[in-house]
Amino acid sequence: TVNITLNPAVDLTRSFVLVSERINTGNENRDERWTFRARLTATNNLELTRNESVTDVTVAWQVIQIQDAAVQSGLTTINNGSNTATAVIGSVDVTRTFLVFTRRTQGNTGGREERYQVSGELTNATTLTFTRAGTSSNVDIAWFAVTLNDGSTVQRGVAAAGSGTATVDAALSPAIVLNRSFPIISVSGSSNGDNDRLDDTSLTHAFTSTTNLRFQRASTTRSAQIAWFVVHLGSPRIDWQEIFP
């Protein structure tokens, strides 16, 4: 566990966390060492936790506060023996809400992607669903459901990349403005995944046009499922009091 002091403090009802990790070499079959759960435990504290130590990991983090957002957060576990878990949230407008989350897995994961790679969906206005391909080991999840109240809109969907498929496209409707939009994705793997490397669930995602989000994989031996959100930020708000004091 590492605790990071936030200065200035944030508003927990308007803030969420993004992280990315980099692990040292020589840790094949030990993926649990780089899976981190990130949550805000206080207005001035970010907690990063994993279930197995031993190896150094570098974690890059961002705590983002949006004035016109309403953020719900919580903890959920996909239990050993199950491949899914749900979380109930207060009712949201699904056209203005996106999901971000982090996860930590147990020490007996054995580096197998199907056990710890998780996709997260906003199933409906009151339900979040987290899915993996396998059923072994626990996966602990910290999630944030972010609703934007500034004129922004959110599109969402699930794309399947079958065995042998390198490129998958997701159609966007209505069209977006490219310089005001960004994608958020999460990926789960195949139930017959391996522990050789993080491959079939590794992909890039980018807009190829105002109406298309493209996912591309280098390894296509097994299938993957991609849950995606595309956030289209609203037009900048004009504060007339500032312009005409």
Side-chain angles (χ1 to χ4, degrees):
T1 298
V2 174
N3 288 291
I4 300 165
T5 300
L6 304 177
N7 186 19
V10 298
D11 183 339
L12 297 180
T13 66
R14 294 188 176 97
S15 303
F16 59 96
V17 181
L18 300 177
V19 303
S20 57
E21 311 94 343
R22 183 180 72 238
I23 196 169
N24 290 342
T25 59
N27 287 279
E28 186 177 0
N29 305 339
R30 295 291 184 270
D31 290 341
E32 64 275 4
R33 296 177 182 176
W34 63 262
T35 59
F36 272 83
R37 189 186 70 182
R39 63 172 179 156
L40 298 169
T41 58
T43 59
N44 63 348
N45 191 75
L46 168 63
E47 177 195 77
L48 304 175
T49 60
R50 58 178 174 170
N51 283 328
E52 183 177 311
S53 55
V54 181
T55 304
D56 289 344
V57 179
T58 299
V59 181
W61 57 268
Q62 299 176 77
V63 175
I64 301 168
Q65 177 172 303
I66 300 177
Q67 184 63 28
D68 291 323
V71 178
Q72 301 180 59
S73 61
L75 302 177
T76 301
T77 297
I78 303 179
N79 292 312
N80 181 45
S82 177
N83 71 337
T84 189
T86 59
V88 176
I89 61 175
S91 185
V92 298
D93 182 341
V94 298
T95 67
R96 295 187 290 115
T97 303
F98 64 90
L99 168 68
V100 293
F101 67 94
T102 53
R103 81 278 186 262
R104 67 182 186 190
T105 187
Q106 287 184 302
N108 59 350
T109 301
R112 303 191 70 89
E113 295 174 45
E114 75 270 15
R115 297 178 182 176
Y116 69 91
Q117 287 288 73
V118 177
S119 58
E121 302 172 56
L122 177 60
T123 315
N124 54 49
T126 59
T127 308
L128 307 176
T129 301
F130 302 95
T131 305
R132 60 177 175 173
T135 60
S136 297
S137 308
N138 287 358
V139 179
D140 302 320
I141 297 166
W143 53 264
F144 299 87
V146 183
T147 300
L148 301 175
N149 298 311
D150 58 358
S152 300
T153 58
V154 178
Q155 300 183 48
R156 75 191 199 279
V158 177
S163 175
T165 301
T167 301
V168 178
D169 290 312
L172 305 177
S173 180
I176 60 171
V177 177
L178 293 177
N179 63 4
R180 292 217 311 267
S181 302
F182 59 91
I184 297 172
I185 72 164
S186 55
V187 188
S188 58
S190 168
S191 58
N192 64 345
D194 58 43
N195 61 357
D196 291 338
R197 58 193 68 84
L198 186 64
D199 46 13
D200 297 289
T201 57
S202 295
L203 51 85
T204 59
H205 54 291
F207 299 123
T208 58
S209 72
T210 60
T211 58
N212 192 73
L213 173 61
R214 174 164 293 175
F215 310 100
Q216 290 186 294
R217 302 191 297 166
S219 176
T220 62
T221 305
R222 296 170 178 84
S223 61
Q225 177 171 282
I226 308 152
W228 58 267
F229 297 86
V230 169
V231 181
H232 181 260
L233 298 175
S235 300
R237 186 176 61 180
I238 299 174
D239 190 331
W240 296 101
Q241 182 64 33
E242 290 183 3
I243 297 176
F244 301 107

